[in-house]
Amino acid sequence: MADTQSAQYYIGLMSGTSLDGVDGVIVDGKAQKVIGQNYLPYSEQLKDSLRQLTQSGQTSLKNLAEIDIQVAEVFTDTALLLLSNAKLSSDQIIAIGSHGQTIYHQGGRYSMQIAHGALIAEKTNITTVADFRMQDVAAGGQGAPLTPIYHQHMLNGKLGVVVNLGGIANLTQIHNNKVVGFDTGPANTLLDNWINRCKSLDYDRDGLWARSGLVDQLLLEKMLLDVYFQKAAPKSTGPEYFNLNWLDGYLVGNEAPVNVQRTLLELTALSISKHIEEGVDVYLCGGGAHNAFLVERLAYLNPNSQIETTNELGIHADYVEAAAFAFFAKCTLAGKTSNLPAVTGAKHTRILGAIYAN
């Protein structure tokens, strides 16, 4: 490891739309090398509270405030665990870049992340940069995806496609020296929520349940006709749109649950694959990169592409987005813009994030 007495580092913290917990990384001062990584799961009670909050849209301000504090405490604990494991002190960290937990996203209108940046800064004694999306939204953008500029940083001149398989899938592709990026649609959110409804499980390990079912071709075709899949980029979405209420609108009631799971996996694979240029290498990250059956389907649908994970680019597939927000914090403190108007649709480049100095 580098000389920790003289080096300066950034921490990146991220929780995605899968609502499972917090990914954290420590990166070097150039935001190029990960020197430490950790994951802290949310408690089952907090997961349930977040599902209720994000899927029902109904809560009290008191409840929202309490969940905000609870999420911030998990983010804080993740940062402190990172420091402890790396044997670093808070004064060796330049800043924390905290994405927070998205609880509402409507591209072009509003995007809300909780995790109380001021509280994280206070409890860690580290300057914290948070609330990265709203500056882009205020400039007329979708506020998402933000990570394509970091994916470009990771690719470092290589041609390739980076696909993040979180709750929602987003794709980044370098095309004619321009960065193309957008949310393709659901990745894990429908799969996780359907198996939770049917089998009380948090996720379909390795896609084994989906693998045992059959594609319901009529259901698949109906879902693929949804207006979101027809939209041109810039576009972004979230579990506010792709949720069980959305799915229920396409079910007739006599489908075998296992066949619905299989069909949802095919929906994810097809809605991503249609945007991948033939023969271009694909680098996967996010929780869905561990779904062996989903990876198989992506490989089958893109036979001339090498399907790998971002581990091949030097960043562990589970921690790419956390590393991205460490990178964004570095940009913010340096006064550099980090949104891509061609991706988000914003009218201008903007310096993203609110700074809670310490």
Side-chain angles (χ1 to χ4, degrees):
M1 193 164 88
D3 178 8
T4 57
Q5 298 306 309
S6 59
Q8 296 288 291
Y9 305 94
Y10 291 90
I11 287 176
L13 301 173
M14 172 75 192
S15 184
T17 49
S18 295
L19 306 176
D20 51 357
V22 180
D23 298 320
V25 298
I26 299 176
V27 302
D28 67 352
K30 295 181 179 180
Q32 291 180 327
K33 183 180 179 183
V34 173
I35 66 160
Q37 55 200 36
N38 278 109
Y39 166 74
L40 272 186
Y42 289 142
S43 67
E44 290 303 317
Q45 182 179 3
L46 184 52
K47 285 182 191 177
D48 289 343
S49 296
L50 285 166
R51 286 194 194 105
Q52 176 68 17
L53 182 64
T54 57
Q55 293 174 27
S56 74
Q58 298 177 354
T59 192
S60 66
L61 288 176
K62 180 180 179 182
N63 186 51
L64 175 59
E66 184 58 37
I67 295 172
D68 190 1
I69 293 168
Q70 290 177 25
V71 170
E73 287 172 344
V74 182
F75 272 67
T76 298
D77 289 345
T78 305
L80 295 176
L81 180 62
L82 283 163
L83 290 176
S84 175
N85 288 347
K87 295 180 171 53
L88 295 172
S89 61
S90 60
D91 60 7
Q92 291 173 274
I93 306 298
I94 299 168
I96 293 171
S98 173
H99 171 267
Q101 178 68 66
T102 298
I103 60 168
Y104 180 79
H105 180 80
Q106 185 181 5
R109 296 281 298 169
Y110 200 81
S111 188
M112 185 176 186
Q113 288 73 44
I114 59 174
H116 208 329
L119 189 61
I120 296 172
E122 189 65 31
K123 290 200 167 190
T124 60
N125 198 34
I126 300 169
T127 294
T128 298
V129 188
D131 192 23
F132 287 92
R133 298 191 186 275
M134 276 302 288
Q135 189 72 51
D136 183 82
V137 173
Q142 293 282 311
L146 296 180
T147 49
I149 194 172
Y150 180 68
H151 294 161
Q152 182 185 31
H153 179 71
M154 286 170 53
L155 286 167
N156 194 27
K158 291 184 179 180
L159 289 178
V161 176
V162 178
V163 179
N164 175 47
L165 297 167
I168 298 298
N170 63 65
L171 175 149
T172 301
Q173 189 162 236
I174 311 300
H175 184 76
N176 294 331
N177 295 318
K178 293 182 179 179
V179 182
V180 177
F182 52 90
D183 289 346
T184 59
N188 301 317
T189 187
L190 292 175
L191 291 166
D192 291 350
N193 282 307
W194 182 251
I195 198 170
N196 186 264
R197 174 192 278 185
C198 298
K199 299 172 76 71
S200 298
L201 296 172
D202 285 339
Y203 64 100
D204 184 7
R205 184 180 294 275
D206 291 325
L208 290 176
W209 192 43
R211 190 189 292 273
S212 67
L214 299 172
V215 173
D216 183 325
Q217 198 62 39
L218 181 59
L219 173 61
L220 179 62
E221 290 172 2
K222 287 192 299 182
M223 291 192 295
L224 283 171
L225 288 174
D226 185 83
V227 64
Y228 185 78
F229 299 119
Q230 314 311 315
K231 279 185 182 178
K235 63 178 181 176
S236 64
T237 189
E240 305 80 17
Y241 187 84
F242 287 108
N243 52 40
L244 291 182
N245 288 334
W246 178 88
L247 174 60
D248 287 341
Y250 289 100
L251 299 178
V252 297
N254 61 356
E255 297 89 352
V258 67
N259 292 344
V260 174
Q261 186 78 355
R262 174 68 182 88
T263 306
L264 290 174
L265 186 139
E266 197 69 9
L267 175 71
T268 290
L270 284 171
S271 58
I272 292 168
S273 295
K274 66 182 284 191
H275 300 290
I276 295 174
E277 287 188 27
E278 185 174 357
V280 177
D281 289 345
V282 178
Y283 300 93
L284 304 177
C285 59
H290 299 291
N291 185 322
F293 189 40
L294 176 57
V295 175
E296 281 180 31
R297 292 305 300 156
L298 289 169
Y300 177 83
L301 293 167
N302 299 277
N304 297 315
S305 294
Q306 185 73 28
I307 307 291
E308 301 175 302
T309 69
T310 56
N311 295 28
E312 301 300 318
L313 300 174
I315 305 292
H316 192 287
D318 289 339
Y319 294 97
V320 169
E321 292 216 323
F325 284 90
F327 172 78
F328 292 145
K330 174 180 170 62
C331 292
T332 301
L333 294 184
K336 294 182 178 179
T337 61
S338 52
N339 67 327
L340 292 174
V343 170
T344 67
K347 296 182 180 69
H348 312 282
T349 56
R350 286 287 180 260
I351 300 169
L352 303 181
I355 301 170
Y356 297 91
N358 207 300

